[in-house]
Amino acid sequence: MYRDRIRNAGLYNRIVTADEAALLIRDGMTVGMSGFTRAGEAKAVPLALAERAKREPMKITLMTGASLGNDLDKTFAEAHLLSRRIPFQSDPGLRKAINAGEVMFVDQHLSETVEMLRTHQLPDIDIAIVEAVAITETGGIVPTTSVGNSASFAILAPKVIVEINLTQPLLLEGLHDIYIPTKRPHREPIPIVAPEGRAGLPYIQIPPEKIAAIVITEKLDSSAKVTPPDDETRAIAGHLIEFLRHEVKMGRMGTDLRPLQAGIGSVANAVLHGLIDSPFHDLKMYSEVLQDSTFDLFDAGKLVFASASSITLSAEKHDEVMPNIGAYKGRLLLRPQEISNHPEVVRRLGVIAINTALEFDIYGNVNSTHVGGTHMMNGIGGSGDFARNGFLSIFVTKSTAKDGKISSVVPMVSHVDHTEHDVGILITEQGLADLRGLAPRERAALVIRNCAHPSYRDALADYYTRAAARDGHTPHVIEEALSWHAALRERGTMMKD
Amino acid sequence: MYRDRIRNAGLYNRIVTADEAALLIRDGMTVGMSGFTRAGEAKAVPLALAERAKREPMKITLMTGASLGNDLDKTFAEAHLLSRRIPFQSDPGLRKAINAGEVMFVDQHLSETVEMLRTHQLPDIDIAIVEAVAITETGGIVPTTSVGNSASFAILAPKVIVEINLTQPLLLEGLHDIYIPTKRPHREPIPIVAPEGRAGLPYIQIPPEKIAAIVITEKLDSSAKVTPPDDETRAIAGHLIEFLRHEVKMGRMGTDLRPLQAGIGSVANAVLHGLIDSPFHDLKMYSEVLQDSTFDLFDAGKLVFASASSITLSAEKHDEVMPNIGAYKGRLLLRPQEISNHPEVVRRLGVIAINTALEFDIYGNVNSTHVGGTHMMNGIGGSGDFARNGFLSIFVTKSTAKDGKISSVVPMVSHVDHTEHDVGILITEQGLADLRGLAPRERAALVIRNCAHPSYRDALADYYTRAAARDGHTPHVIEEALSWHAALRERGTMMKD
């Protein structure tokens, strides 16, 4: 039984129910779970744990790769199970608890969590729960649709629960490259010099005796709700492609561009989708998540290789790709997020980083996380890992939100996740601002003219004119700099009467 | 004549006066000059150029390593020579022109300028001016007290002017390690795995025919004005050492700590100085600038190796160290700033990054550059290169400035150079806040209690209480968040009546 999935016979006696496995988790523990961009999360034990927490109040610190699927974070929040959540989430229910101050959320660069764990700068992991395709003869854990932080969680935890998910195809085996950096101060260079570079093993190697429980599940990954491209996202993609054509023409890169990274979400997906009809070819991705667009680019013959930490697909794309995932072998790799997002590799490869902004200001500072400067949306995720180290650092957003009540271009952002030093190109459906090598006063003129929505352009220009009259490298009317956000809070709109 | 300094006889005929060499520079050119933390800047040709600009108006784009000594930036500003200045400066006269909008200042991470030049994302360098100890038989340029960006400027420029400075001791030869990363997309890992690691040549190798002029100078580097430690900087050092002892006790590092980086300036110098009386030993530095404290630590037997991009000393320390600089061979290395500050190496080595904040807020965001959110002080320098990638990211500042009229701890910083995601430890003379693994609400309590000056503590606590009553992951009274800076501007103080 499950012999193709559990190949170490000594582990058969570890098979238990999810409820039994959940009993290994006690109040106050720090738990590391698999899951990244709603892919490959442990599914059964977390639910059993949440059920138990309803009867028997308990609190845990939960670390994951990134966001979880199957409404797990919602379920946890409803069960009041979480005291602390690290390093990312994207669930409306959990978000509410975070913004109410009920759950302490630590919003981290995705490459950094396990680095801090390894040196005991975060609470030690008491137990890891990892979804797997299979366990090898030697006890190696083969992850499913994401690697995330699973490898380091399993290596660092004294106990590991493995969920064998029978719906995850065995064909996924071989797609993973599990490389863990050597310990400082004796760390060697990460031996990856191309997106297709392999440096590790196709499974997570831990002593099999650490596997405290094995649970068999059959629950699917959640499917991504991908909004199809619309006029605005198509316009953003168009501006990007025009810009990239110009860069190629200027000799800054070839028609194979540089390895591409794109954040999760509909805008980034639409932007990548736009590359299908571009003059570029032999593209590669070195990203953190592969969405529908990746496979569309493969199928269009545009993409030759994709490296990431997870695969997150719509239901239709999932049904199309997953049964044939073997066909992508040799063209796909899934890595720990520490490596997919590692500053060393991102800078070495010269990645083109394309991430979504919530808002940006006239000087090029980007807010990716906080609505109105106070309310957490999802978290910074990997955007900083890529933006700070990429060859090009591009941020995209529609120029307005909430039916025009919010301008995504503001005098001063209400929270900074990416500083002016780390932002190269800004794109909205209105146009593109190339900020490279420009001083703040030059940036302001360009951002207002090219990126702001016409309905906010005059107000921004008026603000800038009055600010510049005051002197300063980065002119501001400081007592008015956040007045657009104050107006939004008070009146529900940034639009002047 | 100068045979020990110019060892390639074919270059003798390039020796000209500074005025003659300056004629190679024309209006509109982009000029790359040596100089980093007021060390090793070209001295004669820049002055001749500024003199010429007084008679014959001209504008150039000037790139350097970092700040220049000998009041060069002041002289340039007075001569209205600069249209654009990249990537750092620290001169009050130039600062004034920048804040008036007369000079376009591009404030960059110091590791990034040459990376952008190499890929033509900044204007190409027309001519480089590099101070040297000597030129080797093969035309290799031996830098002086800084490397900065000199190597890449010389490699990328079609023409190079070399200033041979006879006051810079020949003993400096051999202290430099000039390694330039290979070009992307075929970049190899940077082969440096320890502060003492050598990867390149002891000189800048360029085709000798590119050397268009050689000028002989005898002008000294400016000496650093180091304020001696006072009660407050001693208290900051004390808090840091207590913290580091705790980290050692918790097993997070050994008594040799991790490679140390400290920003330039009196506070950082005083903090490093405090390590003389600490229980730590066999220390190493992997920093961008070596100040007096480095040599005091060497002489106290605490430091075993120091790597940086420049040496900037007080007059007394200069007279003591420079004639005997040979005695430090084997314990000192000077590298291009791209390498001293490289994210890849900084993260691999696990550097302890200690940098100075202008102000920080209750949530751990740091402003390093903008007074009142608008007026440029010096620039971000290398602080982001280290803070973003270090093992520990520490920011220090006195809790007040201007006789208590300014609180360095504010509700919201008026400009962000280092985001909450990149700041681990905050220290003032009042105490230390360890923000690692904490959510914003937890950070606020700690920062207010431990770091704020007693005269501002209640006002901060009051702000936070009212903000937290409003909900939000990062609570703010958004319409009041920058009111402290507005008050400073209007009334000259952040202190309430």
Side-chain angles (χ1 to χ4, degrees):
Chain A
M1 199 185 155
Y2 314 128
R3 272 179 201 228
D4 55 339
R5 299 282 187 161
I6 304 171
R7 300 174 202 147
N8 180 320
L11 291 173
Y12 289 161
N13 62 0
R14 314 285 160 85
I15 300 178
V16 295
T17 66
D19 286 338
E20 287 168 323
L23 288 173
L24 292 169
I25 299 157
R26 293 192 308 274
D27 186 37
M29 273 190 169
T30 297
V31 181
M33 286 188 195
S34 67
F36 189 98
T37 57
R38 299 158 31 98
E41 78 281 356
K43 295 169 178 77
V45 179
L47 272 187
L49 183 66
E51 275 305 310
R52 186 177 136 213
K54 285 182 197 164
R55 304 185 303 271
E56 176 192 340
M58 58 187 290
K59 293 279 186 195
I60 63 167
T61 289
L62 174 62
M63 299 191 205
T64 58
S67 55
L68 300 177
N70 283 297
D71 289 334
L72 282 183
D73 268 322
K74 176 173 177 273
T75 309
F76 294 153
E78 287 169 0
H80 303 287
L81 177 64
L82 306 180
S83 60
R84 192 172 298 274
R85 183 76 175 85
I86 304 172
F88 187 85
Q89 60 77 42
S90 67
D91 179 80
L94 177 54
R95 189 182 294 156
K96 211 174 153 189
I98 288 168
N99 285 319
E102 289 161 23
V103 176
M104 294 295 104
F105 176 51
V106 186
D107 176 21
Q108 293 187 322
H109 298 296
L110 295 184
S111 76
E112 290 187 354
T113 308
V114 296
E115 191 85 281
M116 291 188 77
L117 274 175
R118 199 178 286 135
T119 48
H120 309 289
Q121 297 189 71
L122 289 175
D124 290 343
I125 300 274
D126 294 304
I127 193 160
I129 314 178
V130 175
E131 185 181 79
V133 164
I135 301 174
T136 68
E137 292 81 348
T138 62
I141 300 169
V142 181
T144 61
T145 42
S146 72
V147 179
N149 284 325
S150 303
S152 285
F153 288 165
I155 289 165
L156 294 170
K159 282 185 190 176
V160 180
I161 300 172
V162 178
E163 287 195 4
I164 298 285
N165 188 331
L166 302 178
T167 71
Q168 297 277 21
L170 270 171
L171 287 167
L172 285 167
E173 196 171 355
L175 284 184
H176 309 93
D177 183 56
I178 311 298
Y179 174 82
I180 306 293
T182 53
K183 273 205 179 185
R184 295 180 296 199
H186 303 290
R187 183 170 292 177
E188 295 297 316
I190 298 172
I192 295 171
V193 296
E196 63 272 24
R198 271 192 176 272
L201 297 171
Y203 48 77
I204 302 164
Q205 186 62 69
I206 56 165
E209 57 272 21
K210 285 212 312 188
I211 299 179
I214 299 173
V215 176
I216 310 295
T217 76
E218 298 193 59
K219 201 161 193 160
L220 287 170
D221 277 352
S222 302
S223 38
K225 286 160 213 75
V226 179
T227 318
D230 59 25
D231 285 351
E232 290 176 335
T233 58
R234 264 192 293 266
I236 292 171
H239 299 312
L240 174 66
I241 287 161
E242 191 191 333
F243 166 76
L244 293 173
R245 287 175 77 126
H246 179 255
E247 293 297 293
V248 170
K249 200 174 141 200
M250 298 300 286
R252 292 185 189 128
M253 56 179 106
T255 48
D256 56 351
L257 306 181
R258 300 287 175 130
L260 296 161
Q261 176 264 337
I264 194 161
S266 297
V267 178
N269 191 61
V271 166
L272 277 193
H273 211 269
L275 289 170
I276 290 175
D277 299 317
S278 75
F280 315 121
H281 50 82
D282 294 307
L283 302 175
K284 295 180 183 179
M285 290 186 73
Y286 195 83
S287 196
E288 54 183 20
V289 52
L290 306 180
Q291 300 187 83
D292 286 12
S293 51
T294 297
F295 294 89
D296 294 335
L297 283 165
F298 270 134
D299 295 347
K302 286 288 186 183
L303 191 66
V304 294
F305 200 89
S307 161
S309 194
S310 74
I311 302 174
T312 300
L313 301 175
S314 68
E316 304 72 50
K317 203 41 113 180
H318 177 273
D319 293 349
E320 187 188 318
V321 165
M322 274 301 153
N324 306 307
I325 191 74
Y328 294 95
K329 269 189 190 162
R331 294 191 281 165
L332 263 190
L333 266 190
L334 295 182
R335 308 179 186 277
Q337 69 196 69
E338 182 181 16
I339 303 300
S340 64
N341 290 29
H342 203 290
E344 173 175 337
V345 184
V346 171
R347 179 121 170 204
R348 182 182 300 146
L349 300 183
V351 166
I352 297 178
I354 307 166
N355 290 286
T356 308
L358 256 187
E359 63 176 4
F360 54 77
D361 67 29
I362 57 176
Y363 299 115
N365 299 285
V366 170
N367 175 7
S368 308
T369 55
H370 282 69
V371 177
T374 53
H375 282 61
M376 174 55 57
M377 180 63 88
N378 300 328
I380 191 167
S383 56
D385 292 323
F386 291 99
R388 178 69 180 78
N389 297 293
F391 168 73
L392 287 174
S393 174
I394 300 169
F395 283 89
V396 297
T397 183
K398 295 185 181 186
S399 70
T400 60
K402 303 268 175 203
D403 300 324
K405 293 199 192 78
I406 296 178
S407 174
S408 309
V409 188
V410 291
M412 179 189 268
V413 287
S414 56
H415 185 89
V416 179
D417 293 294
H418 309 288
T419 74
E420 45 149 340
H421 313 282
D422 299 321
V423 177
I425 317 288
L426 295 172
I427 315 181
T428 69
E429 80 287 351
Q430 299 293 320
L432 179 148
D434 179 357
L435 308 182
R436 294 173 297 171
L438 297 187
R441 285 166 185 254
E442 298 169 304
R443 294 177 178 202
L446 208 58
V447 170
I448 295 170
R449 187 171 67 234
N450 293 7
C451 298
H453 192 272
S455 59
Y456 287 100
R457 207 175 281 154
D458 290 347
L460 286 168
D462 172 61
Y463 176 87
Y464 175 69
T465 305
R466 288 181 293 115
R470 274 194 183 185
D471 204 41
H473 175 61
T474 303
H476 271 297
V477 183
I478 197 79
E479 66 277 16
E480 202 183 301
L482 297 174
S483 63
W484 292 33
H485 301 88
L488 178 66
R489 186 178 177 277
E490 283 159 32
R491 300 190 289 112
T493 178
M494 287 182 177
M495 190 67 73
K496 290 248 166 83
D497 293 328
Chain B
M1 201 186 157
Y2 314 125
R3 272 179 200 224
D4 54 339
R5 301 281 187 163
I6 304 170
R7 299 174 202 148
N8 180 320
L11 292 172
Y12 290 161
N13 62 359
R14 315 284 161 86
I15 300 178
V16 296
T17 65
D19 286 338
E20 288 168 323
L23 288 174
L24 292 170
I25 299 155
R26 293 191 308 274
D27 188 35
M29 275 191 169
T30 296
V31 182
M33 287 188 194
S34 67
F36 189 99
T37 56
R38 298 157 33 97
E41 78 281 355
K43 295 169 177 79
V45 179
L47 272 186
L49 183 66
E51 274 306 309
R52 187 177 136 213
K54 286 183 197 165
R55 303 185 304 270
E56 177 192 338
M58 59 188 288
K59 294 278 186 196
I60 63 168
T61 289
L62 175 61
M63 298 190 204
T64 59
S67 56
L68 300 176
N70 283 298
D71 289 334
L72 282 182
D73 268 322
K74 175 172 179 271
T75 308
F76 293 154
E78 286 168 1
H80 304 286
L81 177 64
L82 305 180
S83 60
R84 192 173 297 275
R85 182 75 176 84
I86 304 173
F88 187 85
Q89 60 77 41
S90 67
D91 179 81
L94 176 55
R95 188 182 295 156
K96 211 173 153 189
I98 288 168
N99 285 320
E102 289 162 23
V103 176
M104 295 294 104
F105 177 51
V106 187
D107 177 20
Q108 293 187 321
H109 297 297
L110 295 184
S111 76
E112 290 185 354
T113 309
V114 297
E115 190 87 279
M116 292 189 74
L117 274 175
R118 200 178 286 135
T119 48
H120 309 288
Q121 297 189 70
L122 289 175
D124 289 344
I125 300 274
D126 294 303
I127 193 161
I129 315 177
V130 176
E131 186 181 80
V133 164
I135 301 174
T136 68
E137 292 81 346
T138 61
I141 299 169
V142 182
T144 60
T145 42
S146 73
V147 179
N149 284 326
S150 303
S152 285
F153 288 164
I155 289 166
L156 295 169
K159 281 184 191 176
V160 181
I161 301 172
V162 178
E163 288 196 3
I164 299 285
N165 188 332
L166 303 178
T167 72
Q168 297 278 23
L170 270 171
L171 287 168
L172 285 167
E173 196 170 355
L175 285 185
H176 309 94
D177 183 55
I178 312 297
Y179 174 82
I180 306 292
T182 53
K183 273 205 179 184
R184 295 180 295 201
H186 303 292
R187 182 170 292 177
E188 295 297 317
I190 299 172
I192 295 171
V193 295
E196 62 271 25
R198 272 193 175 271
L201 297 171
Y203 47 77
I204 302 165
Q205 187 63 68
I206 58 164
E209 56 273 22
K210 286 212 310 188
I211 299 179
I214 299 172
V215 175
I216 310 296
T217 76
E218 299 192 58
K219 203 161 190 158
L220 288 170
D221 276 353
S222 301
S223 37
K225 285 162 213 79
V226 180
T227 318
D230 59 25
D231 285 351
E232 289 175 336
T233 57
R234 263 191 293 265
I236 292 171
H239 298 312
L240 174 66
I241 287 162
E242 191 190 331
F243 166 77
L244 293 173
R245 288 175 76 127
H246 179 258
E247 293 297 293
V248 170
K249 200 174 141 199
M250 299 299 287
R252 292 185 191 127
M253 56 180 104
T255 48
D256 56 350
L257 306 181
R258 300 283 176 136
L260 297 162
Q261 176 264 337
I264 195 164
S266 297
V267 178
N269 191 60
V271 166
L272 277 194
H273 211 269
L275 289 170
I276 291 176
D277 298 317
S278 75
F280 315 121
H281 50 80
D282 295 307
L283 303 174
K284 295 180 182 178
M285 291 186 74
Y286 195 83
S287 195
E288 56 184 19
V289 51
L290 306 180
Q291 300 187 83
D292 286 14
S293 51
T294 298
F295 293 90
D296 294 333
L297 282 166
F298 270 134
D299 295 346
K302 286 289 185 184
L303 191 67
V304 296
F305 200 89
S307 161
S309 195
S310 74
I311 302 174
T312 300
L313 301 175
S314 68
E316 305 72 50
K317 200 46 110 181
H318 178 273
D319 293 349
E320 187 189 318
V321 165
M322 273 302 154
N324 305 307
I325 191 73
Y328 294 93
K329 269 189 190 162
R331 293 190 282 165
L332 263 191
L333 267 189
L334 295 182
R335 308 181 187 276
Q337 68 197 69
E338 182 181 16
I339 303 299
S340 65
N341 291 30
H342 203 290
E344 173 175 336
V345 184
V346 171
R347 179 121 170 204
R348 180 180 301 146
L349 300 183
V351 166
I352 296 177
I354 307 165
N355 289 287
T356 306
L358 257 186
E359 63 177 3
F360 53 78
D361 67 29
I362 58 176
Y363 298 115
N365 299 285
V366 170
N367 174 7
S368 308
T369 55
H370 281 69
V371 177
T374 52
H375 282 62
M376 174 54 59
M377 180 63 86
N378 301 327
I380 191 169
S383 57
D385 291 322
F386 291 98
R388 178 70 178 78
N389 298 292
F391 167 74
L392 287 174
S393 174
I394 300 168
F395 283 90
V396 297
T397 182
K398 295 184 180 186
S399 70
T400 61
K402 302 272 174 199
D403 300 324
K405 291 198 192 80
I406 296 178
S407 174
S408 308
V409 188
V410 292
M412 178 188 268
V413 287
S414 56
H415 183 90
V416 178
D417 294 293
H418 309 288
T419 74
E420 45 148 340
H421 313 281
D422 299 321
V423 177
I425 316 288
L426 296 172
I427 315 181
T428 70
E429 81 288 352
Q430 298 295 320
L432 178 147
D434 179 357
L435 308 181
R436 293 173 298 172
L438 297 187
R441 284 165 187 255
E442 298 169 305
R443 293 177 179 201
L446 208 59
V447 170
I448 295 171
R449 188 171 68 236
N450 292 6
C451 298
H453 191 272
S455 59
Y456 287 100
R457 206 175 283 152
D458 290 347
L460 287 167
D462 171 62
Y463 176 87
Y464 174 68
T465 305
R466 286 181 294 116
R470 275 192 183 187
D471 206 39
H473 175 62
T474 303
H476 271 298
V477 182
I478 197 80
E479 67 277 17
E480 203 184 298
L482 296 174
S483 63
W484 292 34
H485 301 89
L488 178 66
R489 185 178 178 277
E490 283 160 33
R491 302 189 288 113
T493 179
M494 288 183 176
M495 190 66 74
K496 292 247 165 85
D497 293 329

